[in-house]
């Protein structure tokens, strides 16, 4: 029988698993490593893990035998059936109170199911979002654990030690019950931020004729202010990067965007819950449109655009307005994300800690930014905040930026440059701040053609049908929302 020497076990020795193990080792935890293909355990111990306290196992049984109690096992394997397969393999060697943590990119309904199924067996399941890629895993990821709350006390010291730190605080806290960790990880995605930055790039490149070095300068400046973030920083570096012939490498990259699904999942989930997360939706569709390259090439030859394709005003002033538009649209994007999480929390009985979530995203992950500190402040000041845009700081920030934001979109429309995310953000903002929307007409139309009934403003709760043409009958359709 192997001696129980390890504080925690980890299964899955690909890029994330290996780096997370090394990170835990750096923080003084003894980790036992295991992988389906066991030759990778030996290779890891002989190379990357050489000279460390890391130990290995060649079977799930050996792994469990080497773990101190309660046993804690992190899975960092391909999401889906591999996670279920490992849970099944672990169960015979675990006992009540032991903990299984899935750190892969699992879809949150799977984590809800796993938490509930394992709870019945006395095993504590944690579905944890892990963000930050290879470097994050190695030197400090953003960690978003959720699942069975009874597991938190045992894993907290390890998770908070290895997580990224923002202003000295760990970018890791308990998110909520069952699938909350993986849900928050799903909503936390870079699609909106990346699309907004890309639109601003296209306006500067196509409409203002700025060189890539000039654009890099703009991003350098932006990174010193409100927009200070990882994505602005890497965009600056990308714009500066030269190919062998001295031209900007980015201009040689085929303009078809890939996607791995988290944006799409968020979009679908927002439709299911009836929450307008329009920035993610537009960002996903923009990637879809980008991948229709051949069709776009044909369209570019036959579909007419505006005659005037270049901005003729003060470029420097316009670049300043672009920065303001980017900031305001980003605020709307995060407001929408928090609206979605608020609804999901209601639907699933999760008590989400919004300030904690903002802090978890503040460092270690792709969307990390100084701006998330402001979101943390907003939810710390008012944990019950209905909408991020209602917070005085963000209310003022959007009010200050709105003239610039409107002008940027107006100019982009005139020049024929697409701005799906910048525009949808402004449309959302204008929609939200309208007490009255034209849905009254829409309801009248629905009642006209389908006898769907409508509610009268002067008699709330009273649903009536009007015989609009004088020819219809008295019978109305039943009232329900699909
Ligand atoms: P991969 O997603 O490439 O997964 C490789 C691991 O999964 C290996 O240990 C492999 O074992 C194991 N595996 C596979 Br593939 N199929 C299996 C099966 N049917 N049964 C058992 N094991 C199986 O590794 P990764 O990129 O390190 O990511 C790990 C997890 O973390 C994934 O869920 C990923 O989505 C998530 N994640 C990745 C990143 C990133 O930047 N890469 C960031 C955040 C989260 P083998 O060696 O025997 O083939």
């Amino acid at each position: 029988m192997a001696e129980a020497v390890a504080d925690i076990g980890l299964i899955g020795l690909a890029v994330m698993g290996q780096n997370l193990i090394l990170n835990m080792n750096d923080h003084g935890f003894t980790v036992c490593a295991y992988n389906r293909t066991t030759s990778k355990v030996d290779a890891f111990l002989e190379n990357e893990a050489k000279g460390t306290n890391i130990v290995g196992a060649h079977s799930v049984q050996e792994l469990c035998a080497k773990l101190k109690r309660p046993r804690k096992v992190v899975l960092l394997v391909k999401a889906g059936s591999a996670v279920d397969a490992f849970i099944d393999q672990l169960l015979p060697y675990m006992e009540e109170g032991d903990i299984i943590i899935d750190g892969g990119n699992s879809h949150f309904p799977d984590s809800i199911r796993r938490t509930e199924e394992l709870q019945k067996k006395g095993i504590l399941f944690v579905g944890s979002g892990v963000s930050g890629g290879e470097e994050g895993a190695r030197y400090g990821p953003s960690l978003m654990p959720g699942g069975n709350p009874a597991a938190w006390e045992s894993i907290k010291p390890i998770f908070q030690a290895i997580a990224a730190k923002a202003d000295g605080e760990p970018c890791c806290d308990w998110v909520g019950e069952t699938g909350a960790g993986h849900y928050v990880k799903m909503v936390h995605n870079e699609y909106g931020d990346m699309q907004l930055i890309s639109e601003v790039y296209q306006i500067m490149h196509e409409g203002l004729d700025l060189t890539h070095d000039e654009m890099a300068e703009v991003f350098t400046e932006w990174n010193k202010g409100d927009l200070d973030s990882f994505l602005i920083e890497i965009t600056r570096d990308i714009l500066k990067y030269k190919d062998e012939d001295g031209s900007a490498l980015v201009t040689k990259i085929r303009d078809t965007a890939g996607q791995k699904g988290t944006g799409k999942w968020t979009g679908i989930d927002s439709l299911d819950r009836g929450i307008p997360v329009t920035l993610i939706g537009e960002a996903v569709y923009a990637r879809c449109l980008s991948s229709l390259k051949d069709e776009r090439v044909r369209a570019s030859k036959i579909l007419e655009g505006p005659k005037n394709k270049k901005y003729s005003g003060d470029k420097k002033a316009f670049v300043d307005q672009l920065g303001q538009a980017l900031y305001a649209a980003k605020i709307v994007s995060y407001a929408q994300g928090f609206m979605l999480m608020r609804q999901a929390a209601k639907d699933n009985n999760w008590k989400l800690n919004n300030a904690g979530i903002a802090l978890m995203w503040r460092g270690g992950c792709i969307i990390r930014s100084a701006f998330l500190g402001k979101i943390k402040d907003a939810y710390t000041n008012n944990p019950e905040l209905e909408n991020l845009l209602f917070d005085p700081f963000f209310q003022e920030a959007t009010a200050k930026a709105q003239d610039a934001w409107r002008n940027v979109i107006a100019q982009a429309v005139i020049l024929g440059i697409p701005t799906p995310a910048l525009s949808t953000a402004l449309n959302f903002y204008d929609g939200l701040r309208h007490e009255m929307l034209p849905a009254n007409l829409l309801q009248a139309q629905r009642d006209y053609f389908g006898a769907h009934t409508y509610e009268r403003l002067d008699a709330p709760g009273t649903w009536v049908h009007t015989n609009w043409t004088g020819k219809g009958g008295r019978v109305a359709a039943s009232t329900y929302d699909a």
Side-chain angles (χ1 to χ4, degrees), residues 282-448:
E282 287 293 353
V284 172
Y285 284 134
R287 290 190 188 199
C288 298
L289 183 61
S290 81
S291 44
L292 303 176
K293 174 81 180 177
D294 295 345
E295 201 168 327
R296 286 192 290 113
V297 170
R298 285 191 291 280
S300 71
K301 300 196 168 49
I302 55 172
L303 298 183
E304 203 57 54
K307 298 243 160 358
N308 179 12
K309 296 185 179 59
K310 301 291 172 195
Y311 182 70
S312 53
D314 178 341
K315 284 191 198 175
K316 199 167 174 308
F318 193 69
V319 165
D320 177 61
Q321 294 188 346
L322 275 174
Q324 294 186 56
L326 183 54
Y327 185 54
K330 186 171 160 142
I331 294 172
V332 169
S333 181
Y334 283 72
Q336 291 183 346
F338 277 91
M339 283 169 73
L340 182 61
M341 290 191 292
R342 182 183 164 90
Q343 186 59 43
K346 250 190 224 162
D347 296 345
N348 291 289
N349 269 327
W350 295 332
K351 282 178 284 311
L352 293 184
N353 162 10
N354 287 320
I357 290 168
L359 180 66
M360 281 177 247
W361 298 349
R362 170 81 180 77
C365 59
I366 294 172
I367 63 166
R368 64 183 180 259
S369 66
F371 159 86
L372 277 155
K374 301 288 183 199
I375 300 184
K376 179 185 170 268
D377 293 346
Y379 282 108
T380 304
N381 293 339
N382 179 5
E384 302 306 323
L385 186 65
E386 185 180 0
N387 190 305
L388 193 59
L389 289 162
F390 295 174
D391 171 73
F393 175 85
F394 289 110
Q395 201 185 317
E396 200 181 304
T398 42
K400 216 172 114 202
Q402 67 153 333
D403 288 345
W405 192 10
R406 293 182 194 285
N407 190 45
V408 161
I409 289 162
Q411 293 302 328
V413 171
I414 290 168
L415 301 176
I417 299 172
T419 55
L422 283 168
S423 301
T424 197
L426 183 57
N427 277 315
F428 175 89
Y429 178 78
D430 282 336
L432 186 66
R433 58 173 202 84
H434 263 72
E435 185 184 336
M436 194 74 188
L437 284 172
N440 52 344
L441 175 60
L442 212 137
Q443 285 295 78
Q445 290 168 334
R446 293 179 69 239
D447 189 55
Y448 186 112

Side-chain angles (χ1 to χ4, degrees), residues 11-17 34-38 40 75-79 81-83 85-86 89 102-106 130-134 185 260:
I11 301 179
L13 296 182
V15 57
M16 293 302 285
Y34 175 69
N35 192 68
R36 174 182 63 169
T37 308
T38 51
K40 290 189 187 167
L75 299 174
L76 267 165
V77 296
K78 195 175 158 199
S81 58
V83 175
F86 271 122
Q89 288 180 49
D102 172 21
N105 277 343
S106 295
V130 177
S131 181
E134 178 177 0
K185 163 77 175 26
K260 278 198 163 168

